[in-house]
Amino acid sequence: MLVTRTIAGDQQSFEVLVQRYNTPLFNFICHLLGDYDLACDVSQQVFLQLYISMPTLRTGEPLKAWLFQVARNRCLDELRRKRSIHFSELEANHDDDDLSPLDIMPDNQPLPDEMAERSDLQQALRSAIDALPPKFRSVVLLRYASQLSFSEIGKTLSMPEATAKTYFQRARPLLRAAMAKHWKSEQAEGTVF
């Protein structure tokens, strides 16, 4: 409906589309690229492509899956252009002193003591996701970070819905194992004091 209104000349409808999808799309792009500034540029390119492509879009198709597919393709183009990088290297190349864009993104929420624990847990989960094989990582990121359905994930990654579900199910034990190691190390550190 918003696409149809935008095509008819209602610019506010396009602004609503951008507001609705900007945050999850940007987070997905930023995580894939590992570069905040480049993620800003790619995000703008995706919305520009949406605006240009609106007259030819099928209004019966889900827009969210189309946007994430375009974003993924743009990210892959950028990664190819920069140099050949394996997805597992995106976050691993950062030194301890060099924070990734995901770590330096501003958090407007107050950070009480219990939020520090949550942050450690999120970092451990992010590391566990980053350690997944690329085909599993994309599915997990689209499912958790972008909250896409398996049908939308399948369309985004050009795979059958059943394959997306299978990859997700195969990634879960790997994530559980990685998080179990984190919790064991946390408990071991807690007993030292």
Side-chain angles (χ1 to χ4, degrees):
M1 183 172 72
L2 291 171
V3 171
T4 307
R5 286 182 185 171
T6 302
I7 292 170
D10 182 6
Q11 291 301 314
Q12 286 183 328
S13 294
F14 185 71
E15 291 174 21
V16 170
L17 280 172
V18 171
Q19 289 172 354
R20 180 177 294 168
Y21 295 112
N22 188 45
T23 301
L25 200 61
F26 179 79
N27 289 338
F28 176 70
I29 293 168
C30 193
H31 193 81
L32 282 180
L33 295 177
D35 182 332
Y36 180 85
D37 293 329
L38 187 56
C40 290
D41 293 342
V42 170
S43 180
Q44 287 180 2
Q45 291 171 10
V46 170
F47 285 112
L48 178 62
Q49 187 168 346
L50 170 64
Y51 191 80
I52 292 169
S53 301
M54 277 189 179
T56 60
L57 283 179
R58 291 183 223 149
T59 53
E61 298 281 323
L63 182 62
K64 190 175 188 179
W66 184 88
L67 283 170
F68 278 91
Q69 184 174 23
V70 170
R72 178 180 172 267
N73 291 341
R74 291 284 179 153
C75 288
L76 292 175
D77 290 344
E78 288 297 326
L79 291 172
R80 280 186 205 113
R81 190 163 15 115
K82 284 171 71 174
R83 66 179 174 90
S84 179
I85 297 177
H86 297 286
F87 282 99
S88 60
E89 296 174 357
L90 288 177
E91 287 289 320
N93 284 341
H94 294 285
D95 296 333
D96 290 338
D97 297 335
D98 184 22
L99 297 176
S100 75
L102 295 174
D103 293 331
I104 61 173
M105 292 177 87
D107 183 9
N108 298 329
Q109 300 291 327
L111 297 174
D113 291 342
E114 59 267 5
M115 291 301 287
E117 232 176 271
R118 186 175 178 194
S119 176
D120 290 342
L121 184 61
Q122 287 175 342
Q123 182 62 37
L125 182 58
R126 185 180 303 131
S127 296
I129 290 172
D130 288 343
L132 291 172
K135 61 185 179 181
F136 294 169
R137 184 180 317 123
S138 295
V139 172
V140 169
L141 284 173
L142 289 170
R143 181 72 176 163
Y144 284 135
S146 304
Q147 298 183 356
L148 294 182
S149 68
F150 288 112
S151 174
E152 292 170 325
I153 292 170
K155 289 177 184 172
T156 301
L157 300 177
S158 302
M159 67 175 61
E161 179 180 346
T163 303
K165 285 182 183 177
T166 301
Y167 285 178
F168 182 76
Q169 292 303 323
R170 289 182 181 170
R172 289 175 70 183
L174 298 174
L175 289 174
R176 273 193 208 108
M179 294 309 292
K181 286 180 186 176
H182 170 73
W183 286 316
K184 284 180 183 176
S185 69
E186 286 287 312
Q187 289 175 344
E189 287 176 14
T191 58
V192 172
F193 296 107

